[in-house]
Amino acid sequence: MQVDENTVRRIARLARISITDDEAKSLESELTGILNWVEQLGEVDTSDVEPMTRVVAQKLKTRDDKVTDGEIADDVVKNAPVVDDHYFVVPKVVE
């Protein structure tokens, strides 16, 4: 994939960074190289590779999937200016 100078300038504007003309030319080739490398990664056959979370196989810690209120409702709302039955009370903003 080829990146042109207009694309580089648009990316820089979206990233809120200022670049000079020389930097734009340099970034043009760098971004093209990065995108070409990513395209090469897409060509690798990974259909026989098992998904993994890390290099060393480890069983992930799990917990029971049960619904609770966190048992700290009083602590959560203790600094709120107005509370009603463990809920924050806010002014009505839409009629």
Side-chain angles (χ1 to χ4, degrees):
M1 176 177 200
Q2 184 66 29
V3 177
D4 61 350
E5 187 175 345
N6 289 335
T7 305
V8 170
R9 292 197 178 281
R10 183 164 189 262
I11 292 170
R13 184 180 58 80
L14 291 172
R16 305 254 193 262
I17 57 174
S18 61
I19 58 173
T20 64
D21 291 339
D22 293 336
E23 290 172 328
K25 291 287 183 196
S26 172
L27 288 171
E28 199 175 316
S29 61
E30 285 185 42
L31 289 175
T32 299
I34 292 169
L35 292 176
N36 288 336
W37 182 74
V38 170
E39 284 179 359
Q40 285 179 351
L41 288 177
E43 296 171 3
V44 176
D45 180 23
T46 59
S47 59
D48 294 335
V49 178
E50 188 175 323
M52 51 193 247
T53 57
R54 54 180 51 110
V55 176
V56 178
Q58 287 183 339
K59 184 170 172 92
L60 295 176
K61 298 176 184 177
T62 59
R63 60 177 168 79
D64 293 334
D65 190 16
K66 59 183 179 182
V67 177
T68 67
D69 65 353
E71 300 167 355
I72 57 168
D74 292 327
D75 293 336
V76 170
V77 296
K78 101 176 140 182
N79 290 328
V82 182
V83 177
D84 182 21
D85 191 28
H86 299 297
Y87 292 98
F88 294 98
V89 178
V90 295
K92 185 176 180 179
V93 293
V94 177
E95 304 234 4

